[in-house]
Structure formats: C-alpha cells, structure tokens
Amino acid sequence: MHQHRVIIIGAGLGGLTLAHGLRARGFDVAVYERDPHPDHRPQGYRVQLDEPGLAGLESCLPEHLFRLGLATAASPPARVSVRDRHLGVLGDRPTAPSPDPSGSTDRPHRSYAFNRPTLRQILLFGLESTVRYGAELLSWERRQDGTVAARFTDGRSANADLLVGADGVGSAVRALLLPQARVEDAGLRLIYGRIPLHPRAARAGEAGRAAEADGSADVLPPWVFDSIFTVVTGGPGSPHVGFGPVRFDRPPGEAGPAHSPAVPLAPVGDYIACMVGAPADHPDVPPFPELRGLGGPALRELAGRLMGDDWHPDVHRLLAHWDPSSLFPLRVSTARPVPPWEAGPVTLLGDAIHAMSPVLAMGANTAIRDAAELTRTLAVAADSRTPLVDAVRAYEIRMTEYAFPIVAASQRTGRQRIGQK
C-alpha cells in the first residue's frame, strides 16, 4: 500500500497539529520551517483555545501530549468582559460554545488559556526528526504525475503527494497558489507583552479584594482575574487595552519533567497577557516600521500615552507592572474571502488562508480546527484508496464555509469595539 507523503510549510500551531495527526494515521510527513531554530523570534504569549481548538488538538495529538497540554494550561472563568475606560461594564458573557471539527455540538464547552511557547514545545515533542529548520520556501510546481515538488532557498528540494501551506499571514505558499487572494491591513497596531505575577501579587477572590482594600502596593486589581479575557475600550477609533490572566495549576517547568514520558518544558511563571491597541492613524502611533524599531521602555511609554489621564487608574496601575523586555508591536491583518479555486496537490490552513482580527480569539482555534479537518479527510481518502485531491477538495469547501464567516464576525466585532477597518 502506498504511503502518502505530505510536506507542511510552517511549524506553527496549525502545522504541528497537522503533522501529529497525519503521522498517527500512517502518513510520511515532513515539516519545513524558515526560522533557523524554534526560539528564533517571539511567538507571543497567551493563546485562548475553546472547543474548536481543543477538539482539534484532542483528535490529532497523542493522548499523553493532549493531557500534558491541559495540565499546563490555565482555566480562568470562561467569560469575556468588555468595559469602558472608566471600567463601567459594557458587556459580560460566557465564551460561546462551538461545534467540534466533526460537527458534534453535544460536547461540554471548555475554555483554556495556554502559554503559546509552552504549547508549541509540547507540539514539537516527538517531531524532532520531522521538522527541518532554516528552510524557506522558494517555489513549488505540480508535476505531470500529480505530485508536487518544492524547492527551498538553501538549495534543498522535496517531493510529495501534497504540500500544505501553514506559513502564516505572509504565506509564500498562498502567494504562489492564489496570487489573487488579498490580506488587508486591518488598521490596528498592538503593543503586546506580559505582566508578571509574582507570588505576592493579587489573586482573584476575597483575599485579593481584601488586600486591595488595605492599599497594598503590590496588589493588582481583582477584576482583571474575573474573566478569561477583559477588553477595556475607549470606543471605536480610540485606543483599547486587553488583559488575559494565565495562572497555572502546575507550572510547565514542573509538569513537563514529571510527565510520562518526560517532556522538557521551559519554566514560566504566572502572568497577565496585556495588549494595548490603537488605530494605525492615531496621531500618537508612528508608522509601523518606526514602531518596530522602538525598544521596550519606549513602547511602554507610548502605551501609557495612548491611555491618557482620563482612563481609570487601575489601567495605568496594571501598565506600570508591564515587563518592558517582553514588549513587541504587531500589525493586525484580515483576509478577504477567496472565490472557489481548483483543488490540487497544494492547499492552505490557518492564517495562510483566513487571517483574522484577534478580537474573538478564534485565529488559533480555527487553524487547529483546519488541521483536524484536513487530517480526517486525508485519512478517509487514504483508507478508501481514493485520490487525495478529492479529500483536498472536500476540506477546502468545508474550511472556507466555516472559516470566512468567523473572519467576517471578527471584523464586525473589531469595528464595534476597537475601531478596526
């Protein structure tokens, strides 16, 4: 029986999830990543996974790695809060349940806050011989026998039955496959970083509230721990700030080595992910190339200036605890829907095809859902000995049906809350 070979371009969350899923189902998989090593650039901090992403991980990962993922995730109250700049509550709702990749809606809803670097370390475990670093895609071409040949800038080449572009917003695969596809600047700039939570920092609940009432200098406002994510907004066209607590039941640096088998995980302490955003045309926001050149202290000073004196003191108090060395800027992008295209031995998943605003926290969820959906359809095709192109066609139809409505919903919500284009 022919063992299908799949090349995955990009070792992000979606690409690595797909690699695990396909390897478990007998596919020959190789992942090519342009970065020279896994820690080459910032991967971000907190990532929220709800039912679509969790169900996708569970269906693709070895059971022990999925358990370790949950063991090293935080589970704040599964609510999203929206407040005005004076901390008046504008909205407070549970995180919305969504169907899992198989279409079932009868699973209990779950929401977790993962530390993204920890989750990526877990996803890389067992794929040491599968991921090739320093491999930037140069081109690919469809061969006469229906397979695909990929070439890389360092001279390497590889052939496969299927090539999957999981290479993010600036996807080289998409540029070659769908040159008509458009990814637009959403008109938002973010400064992203961490607020470390030291052992004496405030915790949610009555103890934290009592300490706050006593005026303890190292206590953080308890409301920031009441939801999995809180947005404080100045209204459309104005700056906003978001807070997402990540407090581990067991620190990853302890949980990984104690796991069976042991998984080496870098130590990380509790923290609050904090992002300050503003429209790109805000008078205090420099052009993005200039923003990228600012160091941590300058980024923190800019964020404080964006908030202004009329924002609640709690917001400034939180930003005062921001770790300047953790800060980096981001430009938010959003994808335009793509008309149906002819299926072949090349396809896309995640931000490579449906980049979206982070306002609904669905980017990673949808990328992992893509990986699970593609794994399922390819496995069915392999088992039934039908052409993989038929599975690719089915995947692309289904993926565009569920993903682009989420892109549109993210854009609508971003316009309402934070002035996204």
Side-chain angles (χ1 to χ4, degrees):
M1 181 177 175
H2 173 64
Q3 185 184 31
H4 293 290
R5 180 167 176 77
V6 177
I7 291 172
I8 300 169
I9 307 297
L13 302 185
L16 295 175
T17 300
L18 178 65
H20 277 289
L22 293 180
R23 275 169 47 102
R25 289 156 180 83
F27 286 73
D28 180 8
V29 180
V31 180
Y32 289 85
E33 167 57 51
R34 68 180 181 180
D35 288 348
H37 57 81
D39 302 319
H40 175 66
R41 57 191 169 89
Q43 296 292 325
Y45 302 111
R46 170 195 174 277
V47 59
Q48 179 180 323
L49 293 186
D50 301 299
E51 196 54 42
L54 294 168
L57 283 181
E58 190 171 15
S59 70
C60 290
L61 295 190
E63 192 268 340
H64 75 95
L65 289 184
F66 180 70
R67 284 192 290 104
L68 180 59
L70 294 187
T72 55
S75 53
R79 307 190 65 80
V80 175
S81 297
V82 182
R83 296 171 178 256
D84 63 28
R85 69 181 72 194
H86 308 296
L87 299 186
V89 177
L90 300 175
D92 185 76
R93 60 169 180 79
T95 52
S98 302
D100 67 30
S102 67
S104 172
T105 57
D106 58 0
R107 298 170 58 93
H109 180 58
R110 301 170 290 176
S111 291
Y112 288 87
F114 289 78
N115 182 53
R116 183 186 286 266
T118 299
L119 180 58
R120 192 160 182 256
Q121 287 176 330
I122 292 170
L123 289 172
L124 283 166
F125 186 78
L127 298 180
E128 292 82 2
S129 63
T130 300
V131 181
R132 283 82 159 153
Y133 293 100
E136 183 175 359
L137 183 71
L138 177 65
S139 65
W140 58 262
E141 61 180 1
R142 185 170 183 171
R143 305 169 75 191
Q144 289 187 341
D145 62 359
T147 60
V148 62
R151 293 194 302 129
F152 301 89
T153 55
D154 63 358
R156 279 181 278 187
S157 62
N159 300 325
D161 298 290
L162 178 66
L163 183 147
V164 181
D167 48 344
V169 175
S171 172
V173 180
R174 183 191 65 243
L176 295 166
L177 176 66
L178 300 172
Q180 74 277 20
R182 294 172 58 196
V183 178
E184 299 177 341
D185 187 338
L188 285 178
R189 302 294 181 260
L190 301 179
I191 301 172
Y192 191 28
R194 301 178 358 139
I195 298 170
L197 292 178
H198 302 293
R200 294 181 59 201
R203 294 299 209 183
E206 293 307 314
R209 297 181 193 279
E212 184 189 48
D214 291 340
S216 302
D218 61 350
V219 172
L220 298 180
W223 58 262
V224 80
F225 302 107
D226 290 344
S227 302
I228 197 167
F229 196 74
T230 299
V231 178
V232 184
T233 175
S238 298
H240 69 279
V241 59
F243 301 103
V246 181
R247 297 187 296 171
F248 304 103
D249 290 335
R250 189 173 188 188
E254 297 176 6
H259 187 68
S260 181
V263 178
L265 297 178
V268 56
D270 295 349
Y271 64 92
I272 300 171
C274 174
M275 60 186 73
V276 169
D281 58 3
H282 189 283
D284 285 333
V285 176
F288 192 67
E290 184 179 337
L291 191 64
R292 290 181 63 182
L294 296 180
L299 288 170
R300 190 166 79 169
E301 190 275 333
L302 170 60
R305 209 163 61 242
L306 288 169
M307 295 299 97
D309 294 336
D310 59 338
W311 286 64
H312 194 281
D314 277 1
V315 174
H316 291 283
R317 192 161 140 215
L318 283 158
L319 293 183
H321 288 269
W322 225 2
D323 176 9
S325 69
S326 73
L327 304 186
F328 61 92
L330 291 170
R331 175 171 48 198
V332 177
S333 301
T334 187
R336 299 281 292 176
V338 184
W341 64 92
E342 181 182 358
V346 179
T347 193
L348 300 159
L349 67 74
D351 284 351
I353 180 62
H354 49 64
M356 64 186 72
S357 164
V359 69
L360 294 182
M362 288 301 295
N365 277 288
T366 311
I368 294 171
R369 180 179 182 179
D370 292 347
E373 180 69 24
L374 185 54
T375 294
R376 184 185 65 81
T377 55
L378 292 177
V380 169
D383 290 344
S384 61
R385 300 189 181 186
T386 58
L388 286 193
V389 69
D390 293 345
V392 170
R393 183 179 296 109
Y395 158 73
E396 289 173 347
I397 291 171
R398 179 159 166 75
M399 177 266 293
T400 55
E401 286 177 346
Y402 64 69
F404 280 105
I406 300 172
V407 175
S410 296
Q411 187 175 43
R412 285 194 305 272
T413 305
R415 285 171 175 163
Q416 294 164 3
R417 289 185 189 170
I418 53 178
Q420 174 181 338
K421 288 184 180 177

